[in-house]
Amino acid sequence: MPFRSRYTGLIDKYRDHLPVHDDTRIISLGEGNTPLIRLHNVSDSIGKDVDIYVKYEGLNPTGSFKDRGMTMAVTKAVEDGSKAIICASTGNTSAAAAAYAARAGITAYVLIPEGKIAMGKMAQAMMYGATILQIKGNFDLGMDLVKQVAKEAPVTIVNSINPFRIQGQKTAAFEILEELGFAPDFHCLPVGNAGNITAHWMGYSEYHKSGIVNARPKMIGYQASGAAPFMRGEMVDNPETVATAIRIGHPQSWDKAWALQKESHGWFDELADEDILAAQKLLALSEGVFCEPASAASLGGAIRDVKNGKIPEGSKIVCTLTGNGLKDPDTAIDQCANAKMTTIDATLDEVKRTILDSMAG
Amino acid sequence: MPFRSRYTGLIDKYRDHLPVHDDTRIISLGEGNTPLIRLHNVSDSIGKDVDIYVKYEGLNPTGSFKDRGMTMAVTKAVEDGSKAIICASTGNTSAAAAAYAARAGITAYVLIPEGKIAMGKMAQAMMYGATILQIKGNFDLGMDLVKQVAKEAPVTIVNSINPFRIQGQKTAAFEILEELGFAPDFHCLPVGNAGNITAHWMGYSEYHKSGIVNARPKMIGYQASGAAPFMRGEMVDNPETVATAIRIGHPQSWDKAWALQKESHGWFDELADEDILAAQKLLALSEGVFCEPASAASLGGAIRDVKNGKIPEGSKIVCTLTGNGLKDPDTAIDQCANAKMTTIDATLDEVKRTILDSMAG
């Protein structure tokens, strides 16, 4: 008989590993359980013997990994009697906060940098009914303000400094370990606020400590060159990058990220914006997977480090794709100036000629 | 031990129910396995005792249910030696065709109505590298042309007239039956080309015939009023609706859809564009689920039919949400003219005042 219980989200699934009670009211949209896709064509084209998997977190309910943390943060906020949540955001956190607040029936306040979040993310915050505060300043300034406001108003912060966020996000590592049956040799992530790389390390470490697996991956964090405090060794005051999701100069998980980099024997590195966009395009064109620009930093960095030998042959590599490409249609269309597109009359001759020309060309 | 095999898509999962061989090369992006989300707030607000679930097909790899059919259609095209596929599309089919062709390493030709597909879908077709033919005409005309071209050029049609599409899409019904453990009383879908309602009925019927479940749902198909041939009883020549995914006047699965409507004791009905958009908004605002406009026709219709008693109290209802809201950010933003959004200086006083005002109001 093929029956199985309905999938009701990562808290129900990983209840034993998360700080919830038997009678906690779970606020869930069926997040987690995202596909771990093995790349065929990209791996082949590198000419090195490596296995690359992408964890496609863009298939979470609001289109990014933030949902994993938000189901926990909002569940706990509601349990504690909170009627409102607040976050600073480059767009993905605000979408997740707004959606889970809607599901819970509470209010979401989101602070976003004016004119600097992708169109899909703006549509989400509006549709889910968040109260949106566009500030004349960047994410880091928004983060400062959120911390101050939360001291003086009855609102719960749901940025990744909320410890429940990291708890939820660690489940991505659980899923990877369960599906592979072993720890990957390397796990590559885009790094902005550094909460997600911290959460993955926590997840890997918990399964390792429980004896479920006998190894942990080396953690590699890739930043955009214009927003790369881990490469500069200090905070960056005016971060700038096309990868808006990691346009952050003052990472909130600074100390934790440095600690896990050392403990895992991993490293940080940076990519220019054009290399990030090239990796995004490569992944869509050669594997049919469309991620947002920031996400592609993980794959772009991994490919470079495989080519230059920092990641040796024989390695099993997981790259996290943090968000869905549909979040940022403008940036995608902008870089497709050479797309194969023609406008023609709706006649058989025109269609046939166009197709046969294209085949001949 | 928590290990489990990696989820590698619906063909691997439902191999015994699908026309593939042991050595068929499967073209997959991890499609299917989408969440079946129980609505809480919408159901409560209706004031009737019904259970409504939404099958969130927007969480497929390219953001719509089309991926379920496309993994089968492209797998079979490749198996048959085809180097190119072609489709007419309102946008979702072209995104799926382009993505699976990229994964397979073959060419996708997509015919789309000029200026009438949503922005996210256009970004997808471009990023996945399809050859895009924008025609000066609607979907129905594009469909005619595709059928003619396929007779004269070496391309495989991957519209839902391709029988493998329906085979893949039927797996959505399998998943619903497995997760509920019983057949819902009603299954509501948006209807454009009528391929998906046909596929679901096939899936329900196969599990019923195998004795896995002892009932099948009544199938309800909702159309947009401006594109409602099943309500008019005849083809519609100039379909028009904001729900571009179902802007179709000449459904390809006309006979099959009529047959299943009768066999299942279901019905067709129509919704005005404003009712479709209202349902889309309601779902996002009160449950945190963002679907594209066409998708909301299923829920909007179901709510109306629960209220008017056509769907009786005590019913278990499944509504298919065919596509992700991120596919069409313009339509979403357009209908959020009253969004709670303010632009403010990045100072503590401004942020605090805005939040406290909002709480007081």
Side-chain angles (χ1 to χ4, degrees):
Chain A
M1 288 290 277
F3 296 128
R4 55 191 165 122
S5 59
R6 186 166 62 89
Y7 181 79
T8 51
L10 60 87
I11 297 181
D12 276 343
K13 180 158 185 200
Y14 294 108
R15 189 172 271 282
D16 296 345
H17 298 270
L18 294 169
V20 288
H21 305 288
D22 287 348
D23 59 351
T24 300
R25 178 186 157 209
I26 308 295
I27 310 300
S28 169
L29 292 166
E31 57 293 316
N33 197 25
T34 55
L36 182 66
I37 302 171
R38 185 160 181 261
L39 301 188
H40 301 142
N41 307 316
V42 166
S43 303
D44 288 353
S45 71
I46 303 175
K48 299 269 192 178
D49 172 29
V50 289
D51 260 354
I52 305 179
Y53 298 85
V54 290
K55 181 71 168 163
Y56 194 12
E57 292 287 276
L59 299 192
N60 275 295
T62 80
S64 88
F65 75 96
K66 304 281 185 178
D67 295 340
R68 290 184 186 271
M70 205 55 75
T71 183
M72 270 305 302
V74 174
T75 291
K76 296 303 282 188
V78 168
E79 188 172 51
D80 294 344
S82 183
K83 301 286 183 221
I85 58 176
I86 190 168
C87 63
S89 179
T90 60
N92 281 332
T93 304
S94 60
Y100 285 82
R103 180 79 162 166
I106 64 175
T107 301
Y109 296 100
V110 304
L111 271 74
I112 56 175
E114 186 187 12
K116 291 288 186 183
I117 80 165
M119 182 182 185
K121 303 176 188 184
M122 181 61 91
Q124 290 182 296
M126 294 168 89
M127 283 294 286
Y128 296 133
T131 299
I132 303 167
L133 284 69
Q134 287 205 90
I135 59 165
K136 295 168 186 160
N138 62 24
F139 169 85
D140 300 306
L141 190 51
M143 192 68 239
D144 272 352
L145 289 168
V146 161
K147 287 192 218 172
Q148 294 176 57
V149 168
K151 288 182 193 155
E152 306 185 26
V155 293
T156 302
I157 298 180
V158 294
N159 280 101
S160 61
I161 55 170
N162 177 322
F164 299 117
R165 278 277 308 280
I166 304 289
Q167 288 289 327
Q169 285 171 212
K170 76 184 178 188
T171 61
F174 294 168
E175 292 180 9
I176 291 165
L177 292 174
E178 290 167 20
E179 290 206 310
L180 289 180
F182 53 83
D185 301 303
F186 295 89
H187 189 127
C188 307
L189 291 117
V191 168
N193 224 1
N196 206 27
I197 197 168
T198 302
H200 277 79
W201 185 243
M202 182 186 285
Y204 282 124
S205 298
E206 287 187 12
Y207 265 26
H208 182 245
K209 199 173 169 192
S210 308
I212 294 171
V213 287
N214 57 17
R216 293 180 293 179
K218 293 182 174 63
M219 304 297 291
I220 316 180
Y222 295 108
Q223 300 213 282
S225 292
F230 287 99
M231 297 307 293
R232 307 294 160 258
E234 61 183 7
M235 300 299 171
V236 169
D237 277 339
N238 294 299
E240 203 51 77
T241 170
V242 69
T244 51
I246 51 174
R247 186 171 169 271
I248 295 175
H250 290 237
Q252 296 298 311
S253 298
W254 177 255
D255 293 338
K256 286 178 185 156
W258 279 117
L260 74 88
Q261 174 263 316
K262 290 186 184 69
E263 196 180 345
S264 79
H265 306 289
W267 59 84
F268 295 108
D269 208 337
E270 65 189 283
L271 283 88
D273 276 3
E274 56 264 34
D275 295 331
I276 290 174
L277 293 178
Q280 184 198 19
K281 197 77 183 283
L282 176 73
L283 184 63
L285 276 178
S286 61
E287 303 280 1
V289 176
F290 182 29
C291 64
E292 69 167 320
S295 303
S298 61
L299 180 66
I303 291 172
R304 191 176 61 196
D305 283 341
V306 166
K307 285 183 176 167
N308 69 23
K310 283 184 81 173
I311 296 178
E313 290 208 64
S315 295
K316 313 277 187 193
I317 306 159
V318 172
C319 296
T320 295
L321 303 178
T322 45
N324 199 306
L326 288 169
K327 292 269 197 174
D328 191 355
D330 295 292
T331 302
I333 290 173
D334 281 353
Q335 64 172 304
C336 290
N338 299 323
K340 291 161 280 184
M341 178 153 67
T342 45
T343 302
I344 57 175
D345 286 328
T347 66
L348 180 59
D349 281 351
E350 279 285 279
V351 174
K352 228 170 63 182
R353 190 184 51 72
T354 310
I355 289 175
L356 294 176
D357 282 359
S358 140
M359 285 182 171
Chain B
M1 288 290 277
F3 295 128
R4 56 190 164 121
S5 59
R6 186 165 62 89
Y7 181 79
T8 51
L10 61 87
I11 297 181
D12 276 343
K13 179 156 184 202
Y14 294 108
R15 190 172 271 282
D16 295 345
H17 299 270
L18 293 169
V20 289
H21 305 288
D22 286 349
D23 59 351
T24 300
R25 177 186 158 210
I26 308 295
I27 310 299
S28 169
L29 293 165
E31 57 294 316
N33 197 26
T34 55
L36 182 65
I37 303 171
R38 187 159 181 262
L39 300 188
H40 301 141
N41 306 316
V42 166
S43 303
D44 288 353
S45 71
I46 302 175
K48 299 269 191 179
D49 173 30
V50 290
D51 260 353
I52 305 179
Y53 298 85
V54 291
K55 181 70 169 164
Y56 194 11
E57 291 286 278
L59 300 191
N60 274 295
T62 79
S64 87
F65 74 95
K66 305 282 186 179
D67 295 340
R68 290 184 186 271
M70 205 54 76
T71 183
M72 271 302 304
V74 175
T75 290
K76 296 303 284 188
V78 168
E79 188 171 51
D80 294 344
S82 183
K83 300 285 183 222
I85 58 176
I86 190 169
C87 64
S89 179
T90 60
N92 281 332
T93 303
S94 61
Y100 285 82
R103 179 78 163 167
I106 63 175
T107 302
Y109 296 100
V110 304
L111 271 74
I112 56 175
E114 186 187 12
K116 291 288 186 182
I117 80 165
M119 182 183 186
K121 302 175 189 184
M122 180 61 91
Q124 290 181 296
M126 294 168 90
M127 284 294 286
Y128 297 133
T131 300
I132 302 166
L133 285 69
Q134 288 205 91
I135 59 164
K136 295 167 186 162
N138 62 24
F139 169 84
D140 300 306
L141 190 52
M143 192 67 240
D144 272 352
L145 289 167
V146 162
K147 287 192 221 171
Q148 294 177 56
V149 169
K151 289 182 194 154
E152 306 186 27
V155 292
T156 303
I157 298 181
V158 294
N159 280 101
S160 60
I161 55 170
N162 177 321
F164 300 117
R165 279 278 306 281
I166 304 288
Q167 288 289 327
Q169 286 172 212
K170 75 183 179 188
T171 60
F174 294 167
E175 292 180 9
I176 292 165
L177 292 174
E178 289 167 21
E179 290 207 310
L180 290 180
F182 54 82
D185 300 303
F186 296 89
H187 190 130
C188 308
L189 291 117
V191 169
N193 225 1
N196 206 26
I197 196 167
T198 302
H200 277 78
W201 185 242
M202 182 186 284
Y204 282 124
S205 297
E206 287 188 12
Y207 264 26
H208 182 245
K209 199 173 169 190
S210 308
I212 294 172
V213 286
N214 58 16
R216 294 181 292 178
K218 292 182 174 62
M219 304 296 291
I220 316 180
Y222 294 107
Q223 300 213 284
S225 293
F230 287 99
M231 297 306 293
R232 307 293 162 259
E234 61 182 7
M235 299 299 171
V236 169
D237 278 340
N238 293 299
E240 204 51 79
T241 169
V242 69
T244 50
I246 51 174
R247 185 171 170 271
I248 296 175
H250 290 236
Q252 297 296 311
S253 297
W254 178 255
D255 293 337
K256 286 179 185 156
W258 280 117
L260 74 87
Q261 174 263 316
K262 290 186 184 68
E263 197 180 345
S264 78
H265 306 288
W267 59 85
F268 295 108
D269 208 339
E270 65 188 285
L271 284 87
D273 276 4
E274 56 264 34
D275 295 330
I276 290 174
L277 294 177
Q280 184 197 20
K281 198 78 183 282
L282 176 74
L283 184 63
L285 277 178
S286 60
E287 303 280 1
V289 176
F290 182 27
C291 64
E292 68 167 320
S295 303
S298 62
L299 181 65
I303 292 172
R304 192 176 60 195
D305 283 341
V306 166
K307 284 183 176 168
N308 68 23
K310 282 183 82 174
I311 297 179
E313 290 208 65
S315 295
K316 312 278 187 193
I317 306 160
V318 172
C319 295
T320 294
L321 303 179
T322 45
N324 200 308
L326 287 168
K327 292 268 197 172
D328 191 355
D330 295 291
T331 302
I333 290 173
D334 281 352
Q335 64 173 304
C336 290
N338 298 323
K340 291 161 280 186
M341 179 153 67
T342 44
T343 302
I344 57 175
D345 287 328
T347 66
L348 180 59
D349 281 351
E350 279 285 279
V351 174
K352 227 171 65 183
R353 191 184 50 71
T354 309
I355 290 175
L356 294 176
D357 281 359
S358 139
M359 287 183 169

